[in-house]
Amino acid sequence: MRPSISTLVYILAGSVLAKSIPPSSERRSLTRGEYALKEGPLDTDWTNKVGTNPWPEYPRPQLARSKWKTLNGLWGWRNASSGRELDNPPFGVPLDQPVLVPFCLESALSGVMGEYHIWSWYETTFNVPSDWSGHITLNFGAVDHTTTVFVNRRKVGEHVGGYWSFSFDITQYLNEPGQTNELLVFVYDPTTMDGTQIVSGKQNLQSKRFDHIFYTPCSGIWQTVWLEAVPTEYITQLDVSAAADGKVNATVHNSGTTSLPVDITIYEPYSTDVKAQAIGKSGNPFQFMVESPKVWSPNTPTLYNISVKMGDDIVQSYTGFRTVSRGVINGVQRPLLNGEFVFQFGTLDQGFWPDGIYTPPSHEAMVYDLLKLKEVGFNMLRKHIKVETALFYKACDELGLMLIQDMPSLSPWRGLTAVNDFTRELDILIEQHKSYPSIVSWMLYNEGWGQPGDNGKTEHLLTDRIRQLDPTRLVNSVSGWHDHVAGDFSDNHHYASAQCGMPLHQGTTVKFYDKTRIGIQGEFGGIGTNVSEANLWKVPAAVAAIDQTYEMADDIPTWNFRAHWLLKELEAQIATYACSAAVWTQTTDVEGEVNGLLTYDRRVIRMDIEQWKDDIQAMYKAAEGRGKQAAPMD
């Protein structure tokens, strides 16, 4: 039985998510000063509820263990003058400024709310619980951008990349049991500093240098930090892909060099009854069949819990059975989900928050956006040139929201292109996210940002690379323009009205729809309306840029009237031409952009809920009229 929306709200609110051992008082032994929430340009209804123990939920649901301890909370922080400070770390020195982890330094919730913090020191202390044995790992959800970690005055390691999770085995660096350990972290984040080119998405160090569609950057620790107890040889990664026909492909990665026996158990949905069991070897892909699984889809987001045992290590995970493919229905290229054409309609989801910037104030706040979209009938999101916490993807899995996952972009106005680093981080994106059933396609380039001007050579090479790393999903190589026919989609951006799968083109960049591929409206809409000062990002440059919004309505009823006709126009294109998917700009306002379905503080919902429900269902009905089933392409 499919869970009700009320049940999903209960699940997504975190009621069944594992809670960590709470922080203890020894964590503040080195740090002076008192934390204070800053008054930012705008807050949300969750801002003052955060407290000093934020994000207590277990942060890695597809590789979960029972023995873990959050290090989120108050740390010490100090601005650094340059990278040369790495030669003389401030061991044992109190860092005067308290910072609330995991909120980036530019955010009000961090307690710093600073600018141009290119180099930074973080410190905290921790104890390892006395009942833990074996090895201890130190885990970071994400730190922007380059991280150097020290434990008890010894360098543990480094990590490069602002969107990716990473871990260190710190067992050899720990003090004797019962003693306090010192953790020191150095972060370098140049973002868009002159002379640099790194993967940074919509962050802009000079936030109004380009135009109003780039926002406040996020520097430092911005996702959960935690400790975990593991055996000597332990599971480092679990790759699971489950198809609609019941075929499961799995790879269990091991911390050691020896391949070990692995036992996998899949349970019936919402039950402890065993559905299937299989045996394999770590480090080697293996396949097995599950009889008659219930498929995952937006209408039936069925998930199966998984238990994996390798030696003394046991982890919990989950999967959904679904097949993403491409096929021809009545002469038109279509994206297929479980062998059927499902029209994908979603929002451009930026993932910015006025109080936390890149980090939502809480799990409840994060899920609020998703529930509002699901309520009116959206079945998809385009996660726009940003990567979220693992709990975001789990929420989309549970709610049945298909995801187009963008690769975070290089800076669009830089002359050079850092192809090698972009490729390295693209690999990480795929490897760390390929087991989420909600992700149905990968997006490579957006509007040419960071795209080399080599007549499509790199575009084709990276598209092939994505397909090799993950053959289970579709690839949208170019969203907007500069398309060299590399991926599965013919993607067009057209504001405000849609121009999807039609024999029309505009100017020199937006070309005719390519009939050999799937027609998608990668962005459209973008209509806005101003709101009261109470709901605005109160930064003068942002307020001055409001009139740069693609199209403005004078009031919310007029905004809904205009949106209704734009959606009706899209419906006609679905019924008449080859439109298979569309992305409305956007979920929420962001700083100087006031074209969201919700305001930036999430306090005003612009949508006429019943009107939007009716219009979205009419589009799905038009798509059903074009046919559903097809044989997938090879």
Side-chain angles (χ1 to χ4, degrees):
M1 180 182 294
R2 178 188 173 199
S4 66
I5 286 292
S6 61
T7 301
L8 285 170
V9 172
Y10 174 79
I11 294 172
L12 293 169
S15 299
V16 298
L17 295 173
K19 296 296 190 291
S20 167
I21 299 169
S24 56
S25 58
E26 42 79 15
R27 292 261 310 280
R28 294 280 32 92
S29 60
L30 291 179
T31 306
R32 304 190 194 112
E34 294 294 329
Y35 166 78
L37 170 68
K38 297 290 187 180
E39 183 177 352
L42 187 65
D43 65 5
T44 71
D45 287 341
W46 299 276
T47 306
N48 290 302
K49 299 177 183 178
V50 171
T52 55
N53 184 27
W55 283 91
E57 298 84 6
Y58 185 82
R60 195 182 55 204
Q62 287 196 325
L63 189 66
R65 292 187 177 89
S66 58
K67 289 186 177 180
W68 75 288
K69 177 180 179 179
T70 183
L71 296 186
N72 290 347
L74 294 178
W75 292 38
W77 174 83
R78 189 178 79 187
N79 194 46
S81 59
S82 73
R84 291 188 297 272
E85 290 198 19
L86 266 173
D87 297 331
N88 187 28
F91 296 133
V93 177
L95 304 186
D96 292 337
Q97 172 69 56
V99 61
L100 186 62
V101 170
F103 297 104
C104 58
L105 298 172
E106 292 82 357
S107 70
L109 281 167
S110 73
V112 177
M113 204 172 74
E115 294 181 310
Y116 295 93
H117 294 309
I118 311 301
W119 301 274
S120 294
W121 287 106
Y122 287 81
E123 63 83 8
T124 190
T125 56
F126 64 90
N127 285 342
V128 175
S130 58
D131 63 338
W132 286 11
S133 59
H135 286 227
I136 306 300
T137 61
L138 172 63
N139 308 276
F140 294 83
V143 183
D144 200 358
H145 171 265
T146 302
T147 311
T148 307
V149 176
F150 302 85
V151 173
N152 294 324
R153 308 192 178 202
R154 289 188 288 171
K155 182 178 176 180
V156 172
E158 296 178 336
H159 179 266
V160 179
Y163 295 93
W164 324 118
S165 61
F166 58 98
S167 299
F168 300 109
D169 186 331
I170 61 171
T171 310
Q172 64 177 310
Y173 305 98
L174 295 174
N175 290 327
E176 293 297 319
Q179 295 183 358
T180 297
N181 299 278
E182 180 186 2
L183 172 59
L184 191 65
V185 177
F186 185 77
V187 180
Y188 168 58
D189 183 25
T191 312
T192 53
M193 190 168 65
D194 289 341
T196 63
Q197 173 67 307
I198 64 171
V199 172
S200 56
K202 282 211 166 186
Q203 302 178 69
N204 187 9
L205 199 61
Q206 300 85 20
S207 59
K208 301 305 167 189
R209 172 179 173 176
F210 190 65
D211 61 30
H212 77 301
I213 65 171
F214 291 85
Y215 320 123
T216 301
C218 175
S219 301
I221 300 170
W222 66 277
Q223 288 189 25
T224 290
V225 185
W226 76 102
L227 299 174
E228 205 157 277
V230 297
T232 302
E233 289 195 270
Y234 57 95
I235 299 168
T236 57
Q237 183 174 318
L238 175 63
D239 302 332
V240 177
S241 175
D245 64 359
K247 184 177 182 180
V248 179
N249 284 274
T251 305
V252 178
H253 300 266
N254 183 4
S255 62
T257 58
T258 303
S259 184
L260 299 176
V262 171
D263 297 318
I264 293 184
T265 303
I266 298 181
Y267 299 92
E268 294 282 5
Y270 323 111
S271 171
T272 57
D273 295 340
V274 174
K275 176 71 172 176
Q277 291 180 295
I279 297 174
K281 286 274 195 174
S282 66
N284 300 293
F286 60 98
Q287 296 80 37
F288 59 95
M289 292 296 298
V290 174
E291 184 178 354
S292 304
K294 297 177 181 178
V295 298
W296 185 96
S297 75
N299 291 330
T300 58
T302 305
L303 298 176
Y304 288 77
N305 288 329
I306 299 175
S307 179
V308 182
K309 185 177 189 300
M310 185 193 76
D312 294 329
D313 197 14
I314 299 176
V315 298
Q316 308 302 321
S317 189
Y318 69 90
T319 192
F321 288 82
R322 94 289 181 267
T323 297
V324 177
S325 59
R326 173 181 164 188
V328 177
I329 300 177
N330 298 326
V332 179
Q333 296 281 339
R334 298 294 192 186
L336 306 178
L337 181 65
N338 305 325
E340 294 188 345
F341 167 42
V342 176
F343 185 80
Q344 300 176 13
F345 187 54
T347 57
L348 196 74
D349 196 72
Q350 309 267 19
F352 276 77
W353 292 79
D355 44 13
I357 308 300
Y358 251 25
T359 309
S362 66
H363 186 273
E364 177 188 6
M366 178 190 74
V367 170
Y368 177 84
D369 286 1
L370 302 178
L371 288 171
K372 286 300 173 188
L373 297 176
K374 189 73 176 179
E375 179 185 350
V376 297
F378 286 102
N379 65 6
M380 177 265 281
L381 294 178
R382 178 183 169 194
K383 177 42 62 181
H384 191 38
I385 54 178
K386 184 197 174 192
V387 177
E388 297 287 356
T389 172
L391 291 173
F392 173 89
Y393 297 96
K394 183 185 180 185
C396 292
D397 293 339
E398 290 174 319
L399 277 174
L401 283 165
M402 295 180 288
L403 288 173
I404 299 172
Q405 177 62 57
D406 289 16
M407 172 63 188
S409 65
L410 296 164
S411 301
W413 58 86
R414 295 282 180 254
L416 71 162
T417 55
V419 174
N420 289 341
D421 194 57
F422 183 83
T423 302
R424 179 188 67 84
E425 297 200 46
L426 175 65
D427 288 0
I428 299 173
L429 170 69
I430 307 299
E431 288 297 327
Q432 291 193 357
H433 296 84
K434 62 185 179 183
S435 293
Y436 294 110
S438 55
I439 298 177
V440 296
S441 61
W442 304 108
M443 182 83 75
L444 182 55
Y445 292 117
N446 178 75
E447 297 184 349
W449 300 349
Q451 182 179 357
D454 57 4
N455 200 32
K457 179 181 177 181
T458 301
E459 177 186 327
H460 278 270
L461 287 173
L462 293 185
T463 299
D464 291 342
R465 189 181 190 92
I466 294 172
R467 286 174 170 152
Q468 290 169 1
L469 290 171
D470 179 17
T472 71
R473 293 179 174 87
L474 303 180
V475 182
N476 190 338
S477 302
V478 174
S479 185
W481 43 81
H482 306 312
D483 180 12
H484 301 91
V485 199
D488 295 297
F489 294 88
S490 179
D491 188 318
N492 172 23
H493 293 185
H494 195 256
Y495 290 100
S497 60
Q499 188 177 294
C500 183
M502 299 175 65
L504 296 171
H505 74 88
Q506 177 185 17
T508 59
T509 56
V510 181
K511 301 296 185 181
F512 285 117
Y513 155 66
D514 175 10
K515 296 180 181 179
T516 68
R517 294 180 293 161
I518 300 165
I520 179 175
Q521 186 70 55
E523 295 180 27
F524 85 113
I527 59 173
T529 180
N530 213 337
V531 289
S532 69
E533 182 181 354
N535 307 111
L536 285 176
W537 180 250
K538 288 174 277 294
V539 172
V543 174
I546 286 174
D547 62 0
Q548 295 181 36
T549 299
Y550 298 102
E551 185 176 302
M552 291 286 285
D554 191 53
D555 51 44
I556 288 179
T558 305
W559 181 90
N560 275 290
F561 177 86
R562 177 64 171 141
H564 170 69
W565 286 107
L566 292 178
L567 296 180
K568 282 299 180 185
E569 188 174 30
L570 179 64
E571 178 191 334
Q573 294 171 20
I574 297 167
T576 307
Y577 295 105
C579 185
S580 293
V583 179
W584 178 275
T585 304
Q586 58 188 332
T587 305
T588 72
D589 296 350
V590 185
E591 299 192 4
E593 292 187 298
V594 291
N595 53 1
L597 303 178
L598 287 70
T599 53
Y600 197 21
D601 60 2
R602 279 73 171 173
R603 290 187 174 105
V604 177
I605 301 172
R606 289 189 175 92
M607 294 178 291
D608 179 321
I609 299 297
E610 293 307 314
Q611 173 192 302
W612 277 78
K613 283 183 179 179
D614 291 345
D615 287 344
I616 291 173
Q617 290 305 314
M619 288 190 290
Y620 294 152
K621 186 175 181 181
E624 289 178 2
R626 301 299 304 275
K628 297 182 69 175
Q629 292 186 335
M633 296 178 62
D634 293 333

